[in-house]
């Protein structure tokens, strides 16, 4: 199909031990597409947070559940699609930003995942997948 961008895809089980493989995959595609080190690091961190949240909250640490990560370079950006078959849930609806000015002792644990995803990408969106599951789309523009 003309104009269709071709990316690379990685399929893994939802296991925290697979995070390193996902990070290496995203970094490789991001740097090959032309992202500088800082921008690639930002994208890697955003994807890492998204996948860790899927594993711990979406699937509940069920290591036999699938996660698909697709990285697509093009149009001056790298777009990463993270797809799962967990119960549908839009993490972007969490509107409360962490209170960074509060002392560490007074902050509740967690709550930084969506903040880091938003901060480290240029655009992020959520889609419920037909037939069940979720897709988080993160875009990092080339410098």
């Amino acid at each position: 199909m003309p104009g269709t961008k071709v990316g690379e895809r990685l399929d893994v089980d939802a296991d925290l031990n697979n995070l390193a493989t996902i990070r290496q995959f995203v970094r490789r595609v991001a740097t090959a597409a032309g992202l500088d080190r800082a921008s690639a690091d930002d994208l890697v961190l955003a994807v890492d947070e998204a996948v860790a949240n899927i594993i711990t909250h979406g699937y509940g640490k069920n290591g036999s559940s699938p996660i698909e990560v697709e990285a697509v370079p093009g149009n001056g950006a790298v777009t990463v699609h993270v797809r799962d078959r967990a119960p549908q849930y839009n993490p972007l609806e969490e509107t409360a930003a962490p209170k960074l000015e509060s002392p560490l002792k007074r902050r509740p644990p967690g709550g930084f995942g969506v903040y880091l995803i938003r901060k480290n990408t240029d655009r992020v969106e959520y889609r419920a997948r037909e037939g069940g599951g979720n897709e988080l789309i993160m875009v990092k523009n080339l410098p």
Side-chain angles (χ1 to χ4, degrees):
M1 179 184 300
T4 300
K5 292 171 192 56
V6 177
E8 294 187 46
R9 192 171 114 179
L10 175 69
D11 294 299
V12 296
D13 287 335
D15 185 319
L16 292 173
N17 292 318
N18 288 327
L19 287 174
T21 300
I22 294 167
R23 286 190 295 265
Q24 291 169 355
F25 168 75
V26 172
R27 181 174 311 286
R28 182 179 55 74
V29 174
T31 55
L35 285 180
D36 59 35
R37 183 178 177 97
S39 296
D41 287 347
D42 288 346
L43 184 59
V44 168
L45 179 58
V47 173
D48 190 73
E49 284 294 329
V51 173
N53 284 341
I54 291 166
I55 293 168
T56 57
H57 302 297
Y59 284 134
K61 298 182 183 177
N62 179 356
S64 63
S65 302
I67 294 178
E68 176 188 312
V69 181
E70 182 180 18
V72 183
N75 291 337
V78 177
T79 303
V80 177
H81 302 259
V82 177
R83 300 177 185 105
D84 64 53
R85 290 287 174 198
Q88 289 183 342
Y89 173 72
N90 182 353
L92 302 179
E93 289 179 348
E94 296 176 16
T95 55
K99 296 179 181 177
L100 300 175
E101 67 282 349
S102 298
L104 283 174
K105 291 180 181 180
R106 293 189 185 172
R107 291 186 205 166
F112 284 91
V114 172
Y115 170 78
L116 288 172
I117 291 168
R118 288 184 190 275
K119 183 174 179 353
N120 288 299
T121 60
D122 294 302
R123 191 176 86 237
V124 60
E125 63 183 81
Y126 166 83
R127 292 183 188 154
R129 295 181 72 191
E130 191 174 319
N134 307 282
E135 179 176 17
L136 198 62
I137 303 157
M138 294 163 276
V139 178
K140 188 69 177 176
N141 294 327
L142 294 173

